[in-house]
Amino acid sequence: EAGVTQFPSHSVIEKGQTVTLRCDPISGHDNLYWYRRVMGKEIKFLLHFVKESKQDESGMPNNRFLAERTGGTYSTLKVQPAELEDSGVYFCASSSLYEQFFGPGTRLTVL
Amino acid sequence: AQTVTQSQPEMSVQEAETVTLSCTYDTSENNYYLFWYKQPPSRQMILVIRQEAYKQQNATENRFSVNFQKAAKSFSLKISDSQLGDTAMYFCAFFIGGTSYGKLTFGQGTILTVHP
């Protein structure tokens, strides 16, 4: 069974540009989560999808971040326009029950 | 609000020895789960062990065991017979149970290095 995959693994962009991160969850997992770890700090929750619906988006930092989950399958997280403080590692996780399975993360660097 | 605190930024241990990583948490909820996740260098984060708060018995998974002290809100991880492959960042995490499988709240992480 394939695990959670994320694309790209690394992204380096200029301040003001747009970046879109993609997450493919484990097949059959209704729950999909986005988390972010800024350098040296703890992993912080961004949002939670149940199928295609946003269950909890309380962790989204501001309206420059837009998450979607098309048809309850893969999800994208768009940052537009990117700021320096958006740099960090973005993790996606999926679950059917309480155990969350994590992807390898996307390392985003905003210059 | 729930918080998780890992007070040891870094730990080291000799191969074959035992090490304990500390974690404390704060919540007013009664139904919750606690987890230890491991992230080896340049690899994905994986679940090491979980503990349901309603269970009094401490969870064990092979060389990994926890000391769950509910009243003290403490959840430490003991690694016995440490192996080089145990070198990783370890995260303690917390999850409120219920009908909606919601977010994990993480601690700051502990970098564990196992020396040969």
Side-chain angles (χ1 to χ4, degrees), chain B residues 10-81:
Chain B
E10 295 187 47
M11 295 278 286
S12 64
V13 65
Q14 292 296 126
E15 199 174 6
E17 293 188 346
T18 296
V19 64
T20 298
L21 308 184
S22 301
C23 173
T24 58
Y25 61 94
D26 189 25
T27 183
S28 57
E29 300 287 335
N30 202 42
N31 177 20
Y32 56 88
Y33 297 79
L34 293 158
F35 304 87
W36 280 97
Y37 278 88
K38 162 186 176 181
Q39 186 176 25
S42 301
R43 292 177 62 185
Q44 279 170 251
M45 193 151 50
I46 58 173
L47 180 66
V48 174
I49 196 166
R50 73 168 184 265
Q51 174 81 44
E52 292 88 341
Y54 63 86
K55 289 186 177 178
Q56 293 187 336
Q57 187 172 5
N58 289 327
T60 63
E61 286 287 341
N62 301 313
R63 298 183 294 107
F64 298 88
S65 62
V66 299
N67 183 5
F68 174 47
Q69 301 289 329
K70 190 172 183 178
K73 296 181 181 173
S74 169
F75 182 61
S76 60
L77 175 70
K78 185 171 84 170
I79 306 173
S80 304
D81 185 26

Side-chain angles (χ1 to χ4, degrees), chain A residues 6-95:
Chain A
Q6 293 186 245
F7 182 82
S9 57
H10 294 83
S11 180
V12 181
I13 61 172
E14 301 270 335
K15 175 183 171 181
Q17 290 186 321
T18 297
V19 63
T20 300
L21 313 181
R22 174 172 169 142
C23 169
D24 286 81
I26 292 172
S27 177
H29 281 189
D30 288 340
N31 297 285
L32 187 149
Y33 310 82
W34 284 98
Y35 295 89
R36 175 175 74 172
R37 185 170 191 227
V38 173
M39 189 172 66
K41 305 229 170 162
E42 66 266 33
I43 300 169
K44 292 273 198 185
F45 167 79
L46 296 178
L47 88 159
H48 170 204
F49 283 100
V50 178
K51 297 184 180 178
E52 66 276 7
S53 299
K54 291 176 185 174
Q55 179 74 20
D56 179 0
E57 52 184 328
S58 62
M60 295 287 263
N62 50 60
N63 58 12
R64 295 185 294 103
F65 288 75
L66 175 64
E68 294 179 326
R69 189 178 182 192
T70 306
T73 55
Y74 71 91
S75 175
T76 58
L77 180 64
K78 181 191 286 188
V79 185
Q80 179 182 30
E83 298 288 345
L84 299 178
E85 62 265 25
D86 300 333
S87 295
V89 181
Y90 290 76
F91 294 101
C92 174
S94 72
S95 76

